């Protein structure tokens, strides 16, 4: 298992990151991206996990739940 941290500066950088990330890698993004029209729909349909950066406890819960699912299903 590994973690790739990307600090993209624009919404267009996301398309470039999708090309370089390995298979079976699920990106985690800020919830605000979900409301960017076509970009948000594409991210949501591709299985991206969204976290709310303004609600720390909710973000921790989402990331913890994702980690438990990964362990349970034995995936990276």
């Amino acid at each position: 298992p590994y973690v790739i941290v990307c600090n993209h500066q624009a919404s267009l950088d996301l398309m470039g990151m999708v090309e370089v990330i390995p298979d079976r890698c699920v990106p985690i993004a800020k919830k605000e991206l979900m409301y960017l029209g076509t970009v948000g729909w594409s991210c949501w349909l591709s299985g991206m996990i969204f976290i709310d950066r303004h609600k720390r406890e909710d973000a921790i819960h989402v990331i913890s739940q994702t980690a438990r699912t990964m362990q349970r299903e034995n995936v990276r």
Side-chain angles (χ1 to χ4, degrees):
Y2 49 89
V3 175
I4 300 173
V5 179
C6 301
N7 185 12
H8 56 90
Q9 298 297 315
S11 60
L12 295 177
D13 295 345
L14 189 62
M15 291 186 285
M17 288 188 311
V18 170
E19 290 297 319
V20 264
I21 60 175
D23 294 337
R24 298 179 61 195
C25 183
V26 178
I28 297 175
K30 59 184 178 179
K31 190 175 180 180
E32 291 85 4
L33 284 179
M34 192 165 45
Y35 304 112
L36 285 179
T38 309
V39 173
W41 273 89
S42 301
C43 293
W44 182 71
L45 290 172
S46 67
M48 187 174 286
I49 298 170
F50 296 99
I51 59 170
D52 190 353
R53 298 184 306 162
H54 301 293
K55 297 181 180 176
R56 185 176 186 268
E57 293 80 19
D58 291 347
I60 290 171
H61 175 72
V62 169
I63 293 172
S64 298
Q65 184 178 8
T66 303
R68 283 192 299 272
T69 302
M70 290 172 65
Q71 288 176 339
R72 184 178 62 243
E73 296 180 11
N74 195 24
V75 295
R76 307 192 262 171

